[in-house]
Amino acid sequence: MFKAVHVLNGPNLNLLGTREPAVYGHETLAMIEARLAKTCKAHGVALHFRQSNNEGDLVSWVQEAGKAAEPVILNAGAYSHTSIALVDAIKGSNARVIEVHLSNIHAREKFRHVSRLSPVVQGVILGFGPASYDLALQALLSAPAKPES
Ligand code: DQA
């Protein structure tokens, strides 16, 4: 079992709770963090839960997790659709990443239908609101090793 899990959140996710509640629900990022912390504690895994509106922070944190061989749950927000830097960080650091989205990006505007990250992550969980994060954590806990290792 891995020692820690990194939950990385991109731009505007700090606004959860008040941001377009019809799309993202009423739960805040702090509420999601509290629930994940409980699950992690029960499994003896440390939780590094972070949010930044800056692409470079997410790149550095992915590299950090990759170097430590610790898995990542990544909601890169709008950077999911645009960031070649994040694609390179995931590939370059060999980080094990589960991509998550609260909303079903395929049922929304066309510009959200493509995630640049999806081809370089282990798997994607989307459309379950805040539960997308819990499901990603469950996936990691039930399959603790990288498939190719
Ligand atoms: C999101 C979907 C993205 O398209 C959007 O830019 C976000 C949130 C989601 O969790 O549903 O910021 O990643």
Side-chain angles (χ1 to χ4, degrees):
M1 179 65 74
F2 42 84
K3 286 202 175 82
V5 58
H6 299 246
V7 181
L8 308 181
N9 295 282
N12 300 305
L13 291 164
N14 54 315
L15 301 178
L16 279 187
T18 54
R19 174 192 184 196
E20 300 182 77
V23 177
Y24 298 114
H26 293 278
E27 230 173 77
T28 63
L29 207 54
M31 289 160 84
I32 295 172
E33 178 178 4
R35 215 175 37 249
L36 295 186
K38 229 173 144 180
T39 307
C40 281
K41 200 173 172 198
H43 287 83
V45 171
L47 174 66
H48 303 298
F49 193 99
R50 293 163 163 162
Q51 188 276 332
S52 176
N53 293 324
N54 300 311
E55 190 176 10
D57 290 337
L58 297 167
V59 167
S60 297
W61 294 338
V62 166
Q63 288 184 10
E64 213 177 274
K67 199 170 172 191
E70 291 164 352
V72 176
I73 294 170
L74 175 62
N75 185 351
Y79 291 138
S80 314
H81 313 297
T82 61
S83 180
I84 294 166
L86 272 173
V87 171
D88 287 348
I90 294 167
K91 286 177 82 172
S93 67
N94 200 28
R96 181 189 183 193
V97 176
I98 298 190
E99 175 183 356
V100 299
H101 299 282
L102 296 127
S103 63
N104 178 355
I105 55 174
H106 302 291
R108 299 183 63 196
E109 305 95 322
K110 206 164 178 210
F111 63 83
R112 296 185 204 275
H113 292 183
V114 173
S115 164
R116 285 192 187 275
L117 309 183
S118 296
V120 297
V121 299
Q122 183 184 356
V124 184
I125 296 174
L126 57 86
F128 295 95
S132 294
Y133 287 80
D134 301 273
L135 292 168
L137 183 55
Q138 285 307 323
L140 287 174
L141 291 169
S142 55
K146 244 184 150 180
E148 66 268 34
S149 63

